């Protein structure tokens, strides 16, 4: 039931908790995310209702749900809250040397080379900053960004829109076929299933696997397989041992240096296709930090992967490249 509006000033923490509860539908989850007790969260939400003089929640439901008024209020404050967060982030990191905390997510593709160099670089540029680095699958990192558990992430761009986040494309990474040097059959025969060499593929829960499978469906290609794996190095080891062939990308191939003498990259037959690596950020991430991370990641991708690949595999020069 609506109440008379309170004269108490509107509390920013109450608005933040209201948004969090609207997303989680759980007082316990809201409390855990905010680091507050459940009773404190409830107190803030009640004070917000009392200040507005309306019911934002249906308190008779368990868990309580937003009323139509609550849903309208949620829509109306979204842009203002984003602007406040962005202004706060820009103010606190206008000089990146003064930034105090940064949470970064990266895909495993970068964890042995690009991410360590990025970590050293940022620690020098932001000496008073505490960093959290998280390695995970692209879909996991995107979920954490949406839940404000990370500030920025470097991921394989998903097919579905990330319009609630901000995307900064970094790298065009085409798909290629990788065969063992010892393979006797031609690639067209292998893809057509005319050879005994089985297809070794990425685990189906990964974005890269979904992109490959979608392209194969478009081409009407069905490849029997006997092995699925979420780790690129393991796939490369299996192919190098002559256990099968796979579809991967030049960036991933560049990480498998110890196996490369026993591997060969080939253009995928038919129409080319690829993935995009992007820097994806929450809307309130400071632009100064974004620029710093983008610069270093681009530099390391060029130095550690692109230059050498162009030298050894000239046919990839126009396909495997940074995105301006």
């Amino acid at each position: 039931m609506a109440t008379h509006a309170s004269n108490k000033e509107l509390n920013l923490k109450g608005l933040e908790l209201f948004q969090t509860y609207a997303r989680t539908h759980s007082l316990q989850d809201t409390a855990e995310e905010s680091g507050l007790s459940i009773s404190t969260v409830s107190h803030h939400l009640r004070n917000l209702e009392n200040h507005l003089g309306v019911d934002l929640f249906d308190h008779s439901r368990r868990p309580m749900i937003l009323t139509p008024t609550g849903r309208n209020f949620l829509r109306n404050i979204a842009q203002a809250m984003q602007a406040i967060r962005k202004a706060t982030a820009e103010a606190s990191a206008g000089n990146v040397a003064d930034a105090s905390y940064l949470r970064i997510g990266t895909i495993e593709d970068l964890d042995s080379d690009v991410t360590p160099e990025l970590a050293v670089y940022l620690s020098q540029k932001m000496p008073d900053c505490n960093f959290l680095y998280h390695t995970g699958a692209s879909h996991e990192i995107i979920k954490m960004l949406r839940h404000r558990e990370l500030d920025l992430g470097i991921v394989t761009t998903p097919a579905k829109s990330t319009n609630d986040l901000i995307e900064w494309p970094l790298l065009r990474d085409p798909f290629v076929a990788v065969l063992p040097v010892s393979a006797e059959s031609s690639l067209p025969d292998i893809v057509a299933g005319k050879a005994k060499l089985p297809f070794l593929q990425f685990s189906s829960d990964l974005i890269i696997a979904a992109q490959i499978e979608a392209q194969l469906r478009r081409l009407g290609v069905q490849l029997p397989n006997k092995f699925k794996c979420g780790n690129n190095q393991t796939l490369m080891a299996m192919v190098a041992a002559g256990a099968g062939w796979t579809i991967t990308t030049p960036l991933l191939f560049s990480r498998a240096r110890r196996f490369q003498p026993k591997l060969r990259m080939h253009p995928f037959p038919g129409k080319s296709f690829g993935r995009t690596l992007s820097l994806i950020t929450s809307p309130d991430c400071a632009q100064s930090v974004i620029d710093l991370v983008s610069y270093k990641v681009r530099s390391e991708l060029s130095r550690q992967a692109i230059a050498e690949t162009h030298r050894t595999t000239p046919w990839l020069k126009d396909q495997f490249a940074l995105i301006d």
Side-chain angles (χ1 to χ4, degrees), residues 70-301:
R71 292 194 294 272
N72 286 335
F73 184 67
L74 179 66
R75 286 193 295 271
N76 289 334
I77 68 169
Q79 187 172 356
M81 292 297 289
Q82 179 178 323
I84 291 171
R85 291 191 185 102
K86 186 172 181 62
T88 302
E90 291 286 359
S92 63
N95 179 359
V96 293
D98 297 331
S100 60
Y101 192 43
L102 184 64
R103 302 164 299 174
I104 301 173
T106 61
I107 49 177
E108 189 182 56
D109 308 15
L110 308 176
D111 68 352
S112 65
D113 34 44
V114 174
T115 302
E117 293 293 337
L118 175 65
V120 171
Y121 178 76
L122 291 179
S123 68
Q124 294 170 344
K125 293 291 185 180
M126 307 165 71
D128 296 323
C129 185
N130 293 314
F131 294 95
L132 180 149
Y133 287 91
H134 174 83
T135 300
S138 293
H139 65 272
E140 175 190 353
I141 292 171
I142 291 169
K143 181 178 179 181
M144 294 177 72
L145 285 165
R146 285 182 169 139
H147 288 181
R148 297 299 191 270
E149 296 166 0
L150 293 173
D151 300 304
L152 56 86
I154 303 167
V155 302
T156 299
T157 308
K160 293 183 179 178
S161 171
T162 56
N163 55 10
D164 54 332
L165 301 170
I166 301 175
E167 180 182 332
W168 313 83
L170 297 171
L171 177 73
R172 187 166 54 249
D173 197 21
F175 286 109
V176 295
V178 177
L179 275 60
V181 170
S182 59
E184 297 178 356
S185 301
S186 67
L187 179 59
D189 284 347
I190 291 172
V191 173
K194 297 178 182 179
K196 294 182 179 180
L197 201 65
F199 177 49
L200 311 179
Q201 65 186 106
F202 287 99
S203 301
S204 55
D205 61 330
L206 300 177
I207 289 178
I208 189 172
Q211 292 173 326
I212 293 170
E213 291 168 2
Q215 178 69 5
L216 293 177
R217 283 196 302 271
R218 284 192 289 268
L219 296 174
V221 174
Q222 291 186 326
L223 298 171
N225 67 83
K226 67 173 185 179
F227 185 81
K228 290 186 179 182
C229 179
N231 183 278
N232 175 71
Q233 296 293 86
T234 302
L235 279 179
M236 294 296 100
M238 295 288 289
V239 175
W245 70 285
T246 194
I247 299 173
T248 187
T249 73
L251 177 62
L252 292 172
F253 184 84
S254 72
R255 297 185 63 236
R257 291 182 178 87
R258 59 180 290 200
F259 305 115
Q260 287 177 4
K262 296 182 179 181
L263 302 171
R264 287 292 181 270
M265 273 196 297
H266 301 266
F268 190 80
K271 187 176 181 180
S272 62
F273 69 117
R275 67 172 183 168
T276 299
L277 256 62
S278 293
L279 173 61
I280 295 184
T281 72
S282 59
D284 44 323
C285 188
Q287 186 63 50
S288 54
V289 173
I290 294 170
D291 292 343
L292 204 63
V293 173
S294 178
Y295 166 77
K296 186 58 177 177
V297 171
R298 286 170 171 271
S299 297
E300 291 304 319
L301 287 172

Side-chain angles (χ1 to χ4, degrees), residues 17 19-31 33 147:
L17 294 172
Q19 284 190 311
T20 303
Y21 183 87
R23 172 169 51 79
T24 64
H25 307 291
S26 166
L27 285 172
Q28 181 172 338
D29 290 348
T30 302
E33 283 195 27
H147 288 181

